[in-house]
Every structure is written in C-alpha cells, then in structure tokens.
Amino acid sequence: MNKLSELISQEAVINFETGAIKASTLDAILNLLPFEMGFCDADDIFRWYSNNPDRVHHRRTEAIGRHVLELHPRIAHHVEKLLSDFRSGARDDWEFWFPRRSGEDAGQIYQKFMAVRDENGKYLGCMDVTVNINIFQGKEGKHTPETIDEFIAVKPK
C-alpha cells in the first residue's frame, strides 16, 4: 500500500463546507483519534480505514478493494441485511456493545455503523466507528476542571 504522500501531493488541500485542510494533515488527524473508523462504498467494497495504533479490530491493507461480505463470512447474512436496510433507507444506523474477545485486554467495545448519504439522500456507503470505551474509564488523576483557575493550574506531564 502506498503512503498518502506517494499518491497525492502533501500540499493538496481538501475543501470542505466548513473549511480547508491539507490531505496530509487530515490523514495525521484521523490516525490520532481515540477510535477507529472504516468505510465501504455503495457497492459494498471496503475502501478505507483509519490507522490508529491502538486498534480494536486488526485490519490488513489487503482487505481494501474486497467485497465486505468476503471479509465477514461467518456473519455475512447479518451484514448483507444491514447494508440492504441502509440502501433502502429502512435504517440509518446500528449500534451495539460487546466485551473484547478472550485473550485480549479486558474492555467493553462500542461499535456503530452508519449509512453515508449525500445531500439528496443518495446512499454512498457505510461507515463504522469502533472504540474501546474502557479508555474513557478509570483515568486516575484526570478530571474536568470546574473553573478557569483550576484549568490553568493543571500542569502538563
């Protein structure tokens, strides 16, 4: 798999309705988020995933370009039904929680699948977001400051 810098100029700018950002900066930001994302297009082809280092689901670059049902053969009938509901408009999202598999660090996983549509409602594909919600629990010594003075007093580590 080529690096972003090998595919487009590091200076390429993506213009959004809410502002513009360099493609290389956006790529770096997506890889820093404390959750992972993936996208399959309207033809159910797996196209992209964020590449943060603490992934819940291990992804392989070889999955890119493959049909999503090939990637999930044991649950293909469930995936197919979900994508069909997204395509028809019967459903816009689906979320669930589950414990991490045995042998891995303990944790509770939250996953949400969302239909991606254009401004006219045309189905563009499916995005998933997955997060180990335990990263937000038990953060000893971290809290939300109640006043600006308390915020200013917080010393960086």
Side-chain angles (χ1 to χ4, degrees):
M1 173 62 68
N2 295 336
K3 290 184 174 186
L4 179 66
S5 61
E6 296 169 348
L7 301 173
I8 62 173
S9 165
Q10 290 187 352
E11 299 302 313
V13 174
I14 302 171
N15 294 303
F16 295 99
E17 183 178 325
T18 55
I21 192 169
K22 286 185 198 176
S24 58
T25 303
L26 180 59
D27 189 47
I29 290 169
L30 292 172
N31 292 332
L32 285 175
L33 297 174
F35 51 85
E36 59 199 65
M37 299 178 290
F39 177 76
C40 67
D41 67 17
D43 296 319
D44 304 334
I45 304 299
F46 186 67
R47 295 292 178 192
W48 171 84
Y49 64 93
S50 60
N51 197 22
N52 83 27
D54 300 318
R55 296 192 59 80
V56 172
H57 297 301
H58 301 287
R59 306 261 189 174
R60 299 178 330 272
T61 55
E62 296 82 29
I64 296 171
R66 292 181 56 196
H67 197 280
V68 72
L69 297 181
E70 291 176 38
L71 303 174
H72 303 289
R74 291 185 343 180
I75 58 167
H77 60 288
H78 296 297
V79 174
E80 190 171 35
K81 169 71 169 119
L82 179 64
L83 294 174
S84 175
D85 285 354
F86 283 173
R87 238 187 309 287
S88 73
R91 172 172 270 188
D92 288 320
D93 61 13
W94 185 60
E95 63 185 347
F96 60 99
W97 295 260
F98 59 94
R100 283 192 84 152
R101 294 184 184 108
S102 62
E104 298 180 35
D105 293 336
Q108 189 74 7
I109 306 305
Y110 169 77
Q111 191 161 31
K112 184 170 186 173
F113 294 87
M114 298 160 281
V116 179
R117 303 183 195 286
D118 70 10
E119 62 276 0
N120 298 315
K122 178 183 174 190
Y123 179 69
L124 303 175
C126 172
M127 179 174 178
D128 69 272
V129 175
T130 305
V131 62
N132 180 347
I133 60 177
N134 286 35
I135 68 169
F136 301 110
Q137 300 170 343
K139 296 281 189 174
E140 195 167 320
K142 296 194 177 190
H143 66 282
T144 303
E146 294 182 16
T147 67
I148 191 65
D149 291 331
E150 189 177 343
F151 179 78
I152 292 169
V154 173
K155 302 274 190 248
K157 291 184 179 188

